[in-house]
Amino acid sequence: MSTTERPRILVVGGGYVGLYAARRILKKMRYAEATVTVVDPRSYMTYQPFLPEAAAGSISPRHVVVPLRRVVRGAEVLTGRVTTIDQDRKVATVAPLVGEAYELPFDYLVIAMGAVSRTFPIPGLAEQGIGMKGVEEAIGLRNHVLEQLDKADSTTDEDVRRKALTFVFVGGGFAGAETVGEVEDMARDAAKYYTNVKREDMRFILVDVADKILPEVGPELGTWGKEHLEGRGIEVYLKTGMDSCVDGHVVLNNGLEVDSNTLVWTAGVKPNPALSRFGLPLGPRGHVDAQPTLQVTGTDYIWAAGDNAQVPDLAAIKAGTPPERAWCPPNAQHALRQAKVLGDNVISGMRGFPQKEYSHANKGAVAGLGLHKGVAMIVMGKVKIKLKGRLAWYMHRGYHGMAVPTWNRKIRVFADWTLAMFLKREVVSLGAMETPREEFYEAAKPAPAPAAVKPEGEKAKAS
């Protein structure tokens, strides 16, 4: 950790906003003007739009993460968590991965902690659910699904087989619809290599409490997306919630009950709960209350953006949306652009210059629903272009392929896609990765002491 006497810009979080804001600050900063410190529990940033493709094996999981130390050269990167912030003293408490927590002074603060999965107190959810917020979960889901096919192919027990081949997905937004589409595609491909498993044996269920899926692309494309998934044999239940999932017995409030080993939870996100310990002004849903300049309300040295911030959407207000309902949605499109404005404003604040307001009109949305399948809505002024099928899928890949940070990752991702045109998808489960030492432990653990054998005479007495 640096002991520099220069002003410190502390960036809490290394996701979209943290990574791009730190890069922007480093780019605009004069030599030795300040010290930039990034604190995050992980040493990498995850490009979350690629998680469904990583779960389906279309992209190598290593290519959807960006190592912070490699990308924000010139900054300190501390692997740990900021647990408290003392605004009066301008000191943050950092809890590293190992060792005692310590205090870190700062002069300027960027809150970029992102969001976590939004969950509810549903019986069994914590024990059975699989999220889709991190690359670890995407890898785990892929291995888990293929392992279920292995189980079903190897058993003669119909109950075990039925439970293994039933897959339940909760949440019909981008994450849920894309994940079920990609995983179903992978399972359909994988079934070709199993003797006793066919696609017709599998049951995919998508559940959402809303009245439509993919709301980000509009009702027309959302309806097409639902019909497309149903045409592939995926059951879609709208206006439906889950009551419980204890021991894999999933109970929906529409009366449906199924047994499943696989429950994928993608029912939205919420701001990081740690924000409540920082003493910052929060909105009604727990977001940091920020101004159009991305400065936290009531401060001139703290900025916030991305999923953990409540930022007024000036473009929507200008278009006539009431200010009390005009907030920037929590998506990568806004986070990336907010980060650049935030970085510029931090430099301006440090130098005593005026702040710039953030304003960005929605450019549309794209979603992939499996290989060669997708939906896209492109906004050009007042014109909305709606695409579906293969062309939309190309738009999805093109947009996100260019949006993933660094040319290193762009090249690797496009290389994965290019190779996939000529090579078949891998369908091997590496479930043992979750317990890599188990086999060695079984081989190396001390053998139990043999039971003492009593002499014949003693046996006779005992009898």
Side-chain angles (χ1 to χ4, degrees):
M1 187 178 64
S2 171
T3 57
T4 177
E5 296 300 323
R6 293 175 293 191
R8 184 188 303 277
I9 302 169
L10 177 60
V11 181
V12 184
Y16 286 103
V17 173
L19 172 70
Y20 281 104
R23 292 183 72 185
R24 187 75 170 187
I25 292 168
L26 290 167
K27 179 180 178 180
K28 297 284 185 176
M29 197 170 63
R30 302 188 190 104
Y31 176 74
E33 186 175 6
T35 297
V36 178
T37 302
V38 180
V39 182
D40 194 274
R42 295 181 174 86
S43 61
Y44 53 85
M45 172 262 200
T46 302
Y47 191 71
Q48 292 178 353
F50 279 156
L51 291 181
E53 289 204 50
S58 298
I59 300 177
S60 169
R62 293 181 183 274
H63 300 165
V64 305
V65 296
V66 181
L68 294 176
R69 288 182 174 84
R70 183 171 181 174
V71 175
V72 289
R73 292 181 180 177
E76 297 176 340
V77 177
L78 305 179
T79 306
R81 299 178 184 275
V82 172
T83 56
T84 60
I85 292 175
D86 187 331
Q87 295 185 48
D88 294 331
R89 297 169 54 218
K90 288 191 176 182
V91 168
T93 302
V94 177
L97 289 182
V98 294
E100 298 292 327
Y102 55 85
E103 291 189 339
L104 189 68
F106 63 85
D107 298 275
Y108 306 95
L109 182 64
V110 175
I111 304 296
M113 298 185 70
V116 299
S117 294
R118 182 184 61 189
T119 58
F120 303 97
I122 298 173
L125 178 58
E127 295 78 15
Q128 301 294 323
I130 303 172
M132 276 295 286
K133 286 288 293 175
V135 68
E136 303 88 352
E137 292 169 318
I139 297 171
L141 177 59
R142 171 178 166 74
N143 289 331
H144 174 82
V145 170
L146 292 174
E147 187 178 13
Q148 301 313 302
L149 302 189
D150 291 341
K151 288 180 181 179
D153 190 55
S154 308
T155 185
T156 57
D157 188 320
E158 275 304 313
D159 290 335
V160 171
R161 177 182 168 84
R162 190 181 306 108
K163 190 172 183 179
L165 294 180
T166 300
F167 307 95
V168 180
F169 296 75
V170 180
F174 270 159
E178 288 188 311
T179 302
V180 71
E182 292 284 358
V183 170
E184 189 274 340
D185 222 16
M186 177 190 71
R188 183 186 296 271
D189 255 4
K192 300 173 185 176
Y193 304 97
Y194 288 86
T195 306
N196 302 313
V197 175
K198 301 292 183 286
R199 171 61 183 92
E200 293 74 23
D201 302 328
M202 305 177 204
R203 188 176 185 183
F204 285 85
I205 299 172
L206 177 63
V207 180
D208 199 300
V209 295
D211 60 354
K212 56 182 174 291
I213 67 170
L214 294 169
E216 299 89 345
V217 296
E220 181 182 335
L221 291 178
T223 300
W224 182 90
K226 175 178 178 291
E227 293 172 352
H228 168 78
L229 293 177
E230 290 175 331
R232 289 162 56 181
I234 299 171
E235 301 171 39
V236 181
Y237 297 103
L238 301 179
K239 299 181 181 178
T240 302
M242 184 174 68
D243 290 338
S244 69
C245 55
V246 177
D247 295 329
H249 183 69
V250 178
V251 180
L252 305 181
N253 61 16
N254 65 352
L256 179 66
E257 297 187 26
V258 296
D259 288 320
S260 172
N261 287 335
T262 309
L263 174 66
V264 182
W265 183 268
T266 60
V269 296
K270 63 181 180 180
N272 196 308
L275 295 172
S276 61
R277 302 194 300 266
F278 292 174
L280 301 171
L282 302 180
R285 292 181 296 167
H287 299 79
V288 178
D289 188 17
Q291 298 300 305
T293 59
L294 305 177
Q295 287 177 306
V296 174
T297 301
T299 74
D300 60 359
Y301 65 95
I302 306 176
W303 291 260
D307 292 357
N308 69 182
Q310 179 180 275
V311 180
D313 189 341
L314 298 185
I317 294 173
K318 185 177 180 181
T321 304
E324 62 273 12
R325 293 196 292 112
W327 307 106
C328 294
N331 58 35
Q333 184 179 150
H334 278 286
L336 190 153
R337 290 168 173 81
Q338 287 175 358
K340 294 179 180 179
V341 175
L342 186 153
D344 290 345
N345 281 349
V346 170
I347 294 295
S348 296
M350 188 167 55
R351 296 174 182 171
F353 296 151
Q355 299 282 291
K356 177 184 176 182
E357 291 187 337
Y358 171 76
S359 178
H360 170 69
N362 181 29
K363 299 298 183 184
V366 292
L369 299 175
L371 199 62
H372 304 149
K373 304 174 259 302
V375 292
M377 180 184 67
I378 313 301
V379 180
M380 303 180 68
K382 295 184 178 181
V383 179
K384 292 183 179 180
I385 302 173
K386 299 173 183 178
L387 306 172
K388 52 195 175 188
R390 185 182 288 260
L391 184 56
W393 177 76
Y394 284 133
M395 293 291 297
H396 163 76
R397 283 203 161 180
Y399 173 79
H400 286 299
M402 293 308 298
V404 66
T406 79
W407 280 103
N408 179 301
R409 287 302 183 264
K410 296 182 203 298
I411 292 170
R412 291 178 185 273
V413 166
F414 278 105
D416 284 344
W417 287 336
T418 303
L419 289 172
M421 296 169 60
F422 305 100
L423 304 175
K424 293 183 178 180
R425 192 197 312 248
E426 290 288 349
V427 291
V428 61
S429 168
L430 298 176
M433 289 177 62
E434 298 173 14
T435 54
R437 295 188 63 253
E438 184 175 359
E439 185 174 346
F440 180 80
Y441 173 75
E442 290 297 325
K445 70 179 181 181
V453 180
K454 294 182 179 181
E456 290 296 328
E458 292 187 17
K459 288 183 181 178
K461 291 178 183 179
S463 62

